[in-house]
Amino acid sequence: MVTGPRAVGKTTTSRRLARAVLRLDQPAERGIVLDDPDAAISVGPFPLLLDEWQHAPEVLGAVKRAVDVDRRPGRFIITGSSRNDLIAGSWPGTGRFLDIQLWPLTGRERFGDATAPSLFDRWDTPTRFTVPADTPDILGYVRIALAGGFPAVLAADTDTDKRVRWMRSYVRAVSTRDLSELDSSVGRRRSPERMRRYLQVCALHSTGVIADSALAESARLDRKTAAGYHEVLNVLQLIADTPAWRSNRLKRLVATPKRYLTDAGLAAWLAGVDFDVARHNSDARSRIIDTYVAAQLRAEAEASNQLVQMHHLRTHRGEHEIDLIAEIGFRIAAFEVKTSNTPTRRDARHIIWLRDQLPAEQFAGGVVFHTGRHRHQIAEDIEAVPIAALWG
């Protein structure tokens, strides 16, 4: 079951791995499934891609029955709506489907080796980071972050007008077509205009640690209504709240999640941030680059063969805060994102504090990502690394 935001390439990627495709959004192919779903998927050839399953939900029951009879893995690839997250009752995929999460394209997929092991799987090796020779400067990073990772946007290259039109159409589609589809699953109807407004507020606060009530107020919605739109955006995987990290060793940590849009380019467009704005506005520049780096680490965590969970850390009074923390099993790795090109020990002071609170065997290391060109040690087990090393 391949999931992910609209237009990240779920069908395109899956077609490369399938020997045959049933496109269930096509009436003729959907018809045979509706007539006899078990027979429709029985002939293969395999792997068989069942694309846009939500147009014939009966196909999932057929897959369940086929898998229960023959447990050989890899015969079916399923793509389509994420609305199963909102469906009450029995879900036929439980224990039978392997969920593969697809995120927007990363820097490693664009500029590096997409076949290399996840960052977290090579964490303790000399190849954890390699700084490429053509490391961007800060304006180069701004351009990369503004482009985001949607394949259609990247295909537009430098055509700004085409990107703007695509983003506008994309937001219209998720706030009308996708919202309507999800609402039909739960028997309700919500406002596309309010959905767009709430999504824009989320974009404006991307990388912020902000309460649900504050998001609702910014969107001019009551908390219950805002919570409904938040759930939809989470199901559509356009937002990725990063939970606060908790530890019995550390007291008085905030529980509020850190907010992110899953794509930096979409976040920038919704927030009205273009190249000129990012060039002159340090806060906007920092938010977009931070959102971009978080997207890279999120994809690396998904690709890992280990359980990697992403968090953030902030104390109640704000004395200490760390952009992102990765739980790699028992071990903890900490990350800061800075837009300066010469990070110092001061930029790593919160990671140093965390290192000193944890047992030595638990602290896996700290990284200050920056926009400079050189990798260097800042403190014991903590280093400054150019962002481009994520794809080096």
Side-chain angles (χ1 to χ4, degrees):
M1 173 72 79
V2 182
T3 61
R6 167 189 284 272
V8 293
K10 298 186 292 294
T11 299
T12 301
T13 301
S14 298
R15 286 180 73 97
R16 295 173 180 171
L17 303 172
R19 292 186 60 203
V21 181
L22 268 178
R23 293 199 56 179
L24 301 179
D25 59 341
Q26 300 295 320
E29 297 186 44
R30 181 169 66 249
I32 186 66
V33 172
L34 294 177
D35 287 342
D36 191 337
D38 296 272
I41 68 168
S42 66
V43 293
F46 302 104
L48 173 63
L49 170 58
L50 306 172
D51 190 32
E52 301 292 351
W53 68 264
Q54 72 276 10
H55 292 284
E58 297 83 356
V59 77
L60 298 182
V63 170
K64 172 185 178 296
R65 291 185 290 273
V67 169
D68 287 346
V69 170
D70 184 347
R71 287 299 221 179
R72 285 177 300 160
R75 286 182 297 141
F76 302 101
I77 303 172
I78 304 168
T79 63
S81 171
S82 298
R83 74 178 188 178
N84 54 286
D85 290 348
L86 293 180
I87 294 175
S90 176
W91 169 242
T94 303
R96 300 175 180 87
F97 296 171
L98 175 67
D99 289 328
I100 301 295
Q101 172 67 55
L102 222 59
W103 293 112
L105 288 167
T106 62
R108 185 144 73 91
E109 290 170 302
R110 294 185 62 196
F111 313 119
D113 181 5
T115 67
S118 160
L119 167 66
F120 299 108
D121 291 341
R122 62 179 195 273
W123 186 259
D124 295 315
T125 72
T127 59
R128 177 168 72 182
F129 293 116
T130 302
V131 181
D134 55 346
T135 303
D137 58 18
I138 189 168
L139 295 182
Y141 283 120
V142 167
R143 290 188 177 93
I144 290 170
L146 289 174
F150 285 112
V153 176
L154 295 174
D157 196 19
T158 57
D159 190 336
T160 303
D161 290 340
K162 186 179 291 185
R163 286 184 181 180
V164 169
R165 289 194 298 272
W166 189 90
M167 290 291 188
R168 185 186 300 127
S169 299
Y170 185 87
V171 172
R172 183 182 298 123
V174 297
S175 59
T176 53
R177 189 186 314 165
D178 292 347
L179 178 64
S180 175
E181 181 180 288
L182 290 172
D183 278 356
S184 67
S185 300
V186 294
R188 63 185 303 178
R189 186 172 182 177
R190 283 174 281 206
S191 162
E193 190 278 326
R194 290 183 177 183
M195 167 91 154
R196 286 191 289 268
R197 194 166 72 224
Y198 188 79
L199 177 58
Q200 184 174 34
V201 166
C202 291
L204 289 166
H205 291 286
S206 187
T207 77
V209 179
I210 181 170
D212 293 337
S213 57
L215 288 174
E217 183 178 353
S218 296
R220 305 190 304 279
L221 299 171
D222 63 71
R223 290 186 63 174
K224 183 177 180 180
T225 302
Y229 289 118
H230 199 88
E231 181 184 29
V232 168
L233 292 174
N234 188 57
V235 168
L236 295 175
Q237 296 169 319
L238 294 180
I239 59 174
D241 287 351
T242 301
W245 187 66
R246 307 307 296 261
S247 169
N248 292 332
R249 286 181 166 271
L250 303 177
K251 306 300 182 184
R252 301 186 62 77
L253 299 179
V254 301
T256 308
K258 190 172 186 180
R259 315 294 183 168
Y260 285 104
L261 254 69
T262 53
D263 183 74
L266 180 61
W269 183 79
L270 285 163
V273 176
D274 59 14
F275 182 76
D276 286 335
V277 171
R279 190 157 57 101
H280 294 102
N281 186 310
S282 60
D283 180 67
R285 183 167 62 249
S286 177
R287 284 182 183 274
I288 295 305
I289 290 178
D290 191 344
T291 300
Y292 181 78
V293 172
Q296 312 308 295
L297 293 174
R298 190 179 302 118
E300 294 287 353
E302 176 67 26
S304 176
N305 290 321
Q306 310 177 70
L307 175 62
V308 180
Q309 297 178 300
M310 303 301 298
H311 303 268
H312 81 97
L313 182 150
R314 177 175 291 188
T315 55
H316 274 295
R317 294 183 179 179
E319 306 99 323
H320 300 288
E321 54 183 309
I322 297 175
D323 287 331
L324 289 166
I325 286 178
E327 283 188 332
I328 314 168
F330 165 76
R331 304 171 72 200
I332 301 296
F335 303 94
E336 290 278 10
V337 182
K338 303 296 181 183
T339 54
S340 65
N341 62 4
T342 53
T344 65
R345 186 180 177 90
R346 177 174 174 77
D347 294 312
R349 65 190 185 279
H350 301 303
I351 300 180
I352 293 171
W353 166 80
L354 177 65
R355 179 200 65 189
D356 294 343
Q357 306 303 308
L358 298 176
E361 65 273 15
Q362 187 177 12
F363 185 70
V367 177
V368 178
F369 287 115
H370 62 88
T371 59
R373 298 182 183 276
H374 303 289
R375 176 185 180 186
H376 63 274
Q377 202 73 19
I378 289 182
E380 184 181 355
D381 295 326
I382 301 169
E383 59 178 336
V385 177
I387 295 169
L390 282 166
W391 59 76

